[in-house]
Amino acid sequence: MRIAILGAGAWGTAMAVQAAPRHDVRLWGRDAAQVERMRRERCNARYLPQVALTPALELAADLDDALTHGRDGLIVIATPMSALAAMLQAVPAEAIVLWLCKGFEAGTGRLGHEIAQALRPGLRAGVLSGPSFAEEVARGSPTALVAASADAAVCERAVQAFHTDALRVYTSDDPIGVEVGGAVKNVLAIATGVCDGLRLGLNARAALITRGLAEMTRLGVALGARADTFMGLSGLGDLVLTRLHRAHRARSLACAGCRDADHRSRRRAARRCADACAGGRPPDGAPAAPRGRHCGLTPARGQW
């Protein structure tokens, strides 16, 4: 299968490395200098320095070239959420498309499937999500993901592209639930970092996990998802990974931002946490709170 992956960050590179031994994969990056360095060194030194790029993996700085390559196979958008709309508008109408980005669109609060419906109605598209760290996927560590779309053919193409003995790809027809789970966990990961940074203890962390899952489910159901989706990989699975593992970026930066809270008020410590995580701006998941203002989203709203 011909696969084009748009976005040469850690996640896009990891999925390209994972698929390249079995498929004809072309990884596109918007920074031509970075792409040339990756081609020369066979390594993504900026985002995934510990992982070698397989010889079969092709690299491209020409977007049209990458889109043509994946047109009849699969196009995977691995950019930040802020670039999803532009990428969706660029893909060919006949392509099957997956996106890996998680979050709500800044300014509109739209999920990925809502952006696709607004900009490219009729496009065969879906989301690939779940609890995963890019480096572990690239190294072939056992991982489970979920492909979600209202179009079963999109999910099947995702399975054909990425399912292996080590990387299990499950399918779902509830893209709303899968996307809400992947977005809200960003906010709740920060809450866990604040909890740990303020040394509030394991009881508080356990309360955040359980109540966070409850509020995530309420928001998802209010937006049209099924409640049982949140007991799967993109709900409970994402929460377990991001809130119990110190390697998660939002959690670890939030924790670091609050470590010296003994000398500050908690409000000032929380503000430092926000600055550390997102330059003073809410992360991609934060718009979940205002959209869910009638859903009782206490931890998520409390972050901002």
Side-chain angles (χ1 to χ4, degrees):
M1 182 192 308
R2 287 190 167 190
I3 301 173
I5 298 181
L6 310 181
W11 196 210
T13 301
M15 294 303 288
V17 169
Q18 193 275 341
R22 303 177 311 284
H23 302 288
D24 184 357
V25 180
R26 191 163 297 178
L27 175 63
W28 171 82
R30 64 180 179 85
D31 185 337
Q34 180 198 359
V35 171
E36 179 55 36
R37 181 181 178 186
M38 291 170 62
R39 185 181 290 117
R40 184 175 64 253
E41 299 178 357
R42 304 310 298 176
C43 171
N44 189 339
R46 182 182 299 178
Y47 295 110
L48 211 61
Q50 298 85 6
V51 177
L53 303 183
T54 58
L57 176 59
E58 300 178 39
L59 299 164
D62 186 324
L63 180 58
D64 290 337
D65 175 66
L67 293 172
T68 299
H69 180 83
R71 180 180 54 202
D72 298 324
L74 179 64
I75 294 176
V76 180
I77 300 174
T79 64
M81 178 60 71
S82 58
L84 178 59
M87 292 294 101
L88 285 171
Q89 289 178 308
V91 300
E94 66 272 25
I96 290 181
V97 180
L98 289 171
W99 53 84
L100 308 179
C101 38
K102 299 177 180 181
F104 291 78
E105 186 180 44
T108 69
R110 294 186 299 184
L111 291 163
H113 77 279
E114 294 173 310
I115 299 172
Q117 288 171 358
L119 299 179
R120 298 296 302 272
L123 185 69
R124 294 180 295 171
V127 58
L128 185 64
S129 190
S132 52
F133 286 129
E135 184 176 344
E136 291 191 10
V137 170
R139 291 187 181 282
S141 299
T143 304
L145 301 176
V146 56
S149 174
D151 186 339
V154 174
C155 295
E156 180 58 30
R157 189 66 58 91
V159 172
Q160 294 170 357
F162 297 115
H163 190 89
T164 67
D165 290 342
L167 179 58
R168 313 297 287 180
V169 179
Y170 296 87
T171 63
S172 169
D173 60 359
D174 183 14
I176 299 174
V178 169
E179 289 195 301
V180 169
V184 176
K185 63 92 179 176
N186 288 334
V187 177
L188 299 177
I190 293 175
T192 300
V194 172
C195 175
D196 291 350
L198 296 177
R199 301 176 180 87
L200 299 182
L202 297 178
N203 292 350
R205 187 196 289 183
L208 278 171
I209 293 173
T210 53
R211 297 314 303 164
L213 180 60
E215 73 169 37
M216 176 189 289
T217 303
R218 284 197 298 271
L219 175 62
V221 170
L223 295 179
R226 295 196 306 270
D228 62 338
T229 298
F230 298 96
M231 296 306 295
L233 292 167
S234 188
L236 180 59
D238 264 328
L239 280 179
V240 169
L241 186 72
T242 60
R243 302 183 67 179
L244 296 182
H245 201 291
R246 295 183 181 275
H248 187 269
R249 181 177 65 92
R251 182 204 167 281
S252 61
L253 287 176
C255 182
C258 292
R259 260 187 204 129
D260 61 346
D262 291 342
H263 310 296
R264 317 167 175 266
S265 70
R266 291 189 177 187
R267 183 178 297 275
R268 291 182 65 195
R271 174 55 57 189
R272 181 176 175 184
C273 150
D275 293 340
C277 291
R281 296 177 289 107
D284 287 337
R291 288 187 72 181
R293 59 187 178 276
H294 301 304
C295 302
L297 303 188
T298 305
R301 289 178 62 81
Q303 291 306 298
W304 310 107

